[in-house]
Amino acid sequence: MDDHSNEEKLTFEKIWLMFKETDKRFQETDKKFQETDKKFQETDRILRQTDKKIKKLEELFVGQWGKLIESLVEGSLVKLLNQRNIMVQQTFQRSKSTKTGKEVEIDIIACNGEEVVAVEVKTTLSEQDVQDFIEKLKIFKQAFPSYKDNKVYGAVAFLRANAHADKYAQRKGLFVIKATGESAKLLNDEKFVPIAF
């Protein structure tokens, strides 16, 4: 064998060894990618479980907070409405109906046999909440036919209001009740006349 053939053979062996080393590194890298992918999948699974737990806690907190505000408002509601000559005799919380083909829920109903005040309670009131509640009021008598011969008024009660949603509700003819400390107060002035639905 001549020197040229030996040199070619050595070069080929070097290149072959480099290919084998590169292939080995690719396999190791692929294995590491697979392990990383498994870790990402496990992390994703843990994050999804954590998200579910956080959502359940949030729903529990919001639900309990909402019930607390409803109770706070209901405790003051009779007095507030009586001051406006709506002599409330009964209140009910969380009245539901499916008579319209969809579920309609009213947080608090205050009534006296002739007049009904349906109250929507929100932790934070938005204009969209007011609009949605007005849509409920438009079908209130269909949803709750026992009140079909009553004058129906609407009220929104809240802890906070976004972007003057409270003023918007007043312009739409609703009573506006703000939860404060241990009770609630009516924000409508003495000249306010509610719209009957």
Side-chain angles (χ1 to χ4, degrees), residues 56-69:
K56 283 181 182 178
L57 285 172
E58 180 184 25
E59 287 170 358
L60 178 65
F61 176 76
V62 169
Q64 294 304 316
W65 188 248
K67 286 179 184 177
L68 175 67
I69 294 172

Side-chain angles (χ1 to χ4, degrees), residues 146-158:
S146 58
Y147 300 115
K148 67 179 176 18
D149 296 326
N150 295 173
K151 280 187 181 174
V152 177
Y153 303 113
V156 290
F158 60 91

Side-chain angles (χ1 to χ4, degrees), residues 34-178:
Q34 288 175 4
E35 289 171 6
T36 302
D37 189 48
K38 284 180 185 175
K39 288 178 183 176
F40 276 132
Q41 288 175 4
E42 178 64 15
T43 301
D44 188 51
R45 185 187 66 76
I46 291 169
L47 285 174
R48 276 186 269 129
Q49 287 177 337
T50 303
D51 283 348
K52 286 179 185 177
K53 289 176 184 176
I54 289 171
K55 187 173 182 177
K56 283 181 182 178
L57 285 172
E58 180 184 25
E59 287 170 358
L60 178 65
F61 176 76
V62 169
Q64 294 304 316
W65 188 248
K67 286 179 184 177
L68 175 67
I69 294 172
E70 283 175 19
S71 295
L72 181 74
V73 169
E74 186 180 29
S76 301
L77 190 59
V78 172
K79 182 182 88 172
L80 294 173
L81 293 174
N82 286 351
Q83 290 171 353
R84 297 299 172 106
N85 294 318
I86 298 174
M87 307 312 285
V88 175
Q89 296 167 352
Q90 292 180 303
T91 61
F92 305 95
Q93 279 191 355
R94 297 192 178 240
S95 298
K96 294 181 183 179
S97 171
T98 56
K99 291 189 186 283
T100 61
K102 64 179 183 174
E103 187 173 292
V104 176
E105 182 177 341
I106 303 296
D107 295 326
I108 304 171
I109 292 177
C111 57
N112 63 16
E114 294 177 18
E115 298 164 302
V116 175
V117 179
V119 185
E120 179 82 359
V121 179
K122 293 290 182 188
T123 305
T124 303
L125 182 70
S126 69
E127 282 191 21
Q128 187 62 53
D129 294 328
V130 173
Q131 291 170 9
D132 293 344
F133 183 54
I134 288 171
E135 292 306 310
K136 280 188 197 178
L137 289 170
K138 289 177 181 177
I139 61 169
F140 180 86
K141 289 183 180 184
Q142 295 164 359
F144 301 94
S146 58
Y147 300 115
K148 67 179 176 18
D149 296 326
N150 295 173
K151 280 187 181 174
V152 177
Y153 303 113
V156 290
F158 60 91
L159 194 58
R160 293 186 308 269
N162 283 344
H164 306 292
D166 52 338
K167 291 176 178 42
Y168 177 72
Q170 287 186 62
R171 288 193 307 272
K172 292 294 186 177
L174 303 177
F175 286 110
V176 178
I177 302 166
K178 181 169 176 41

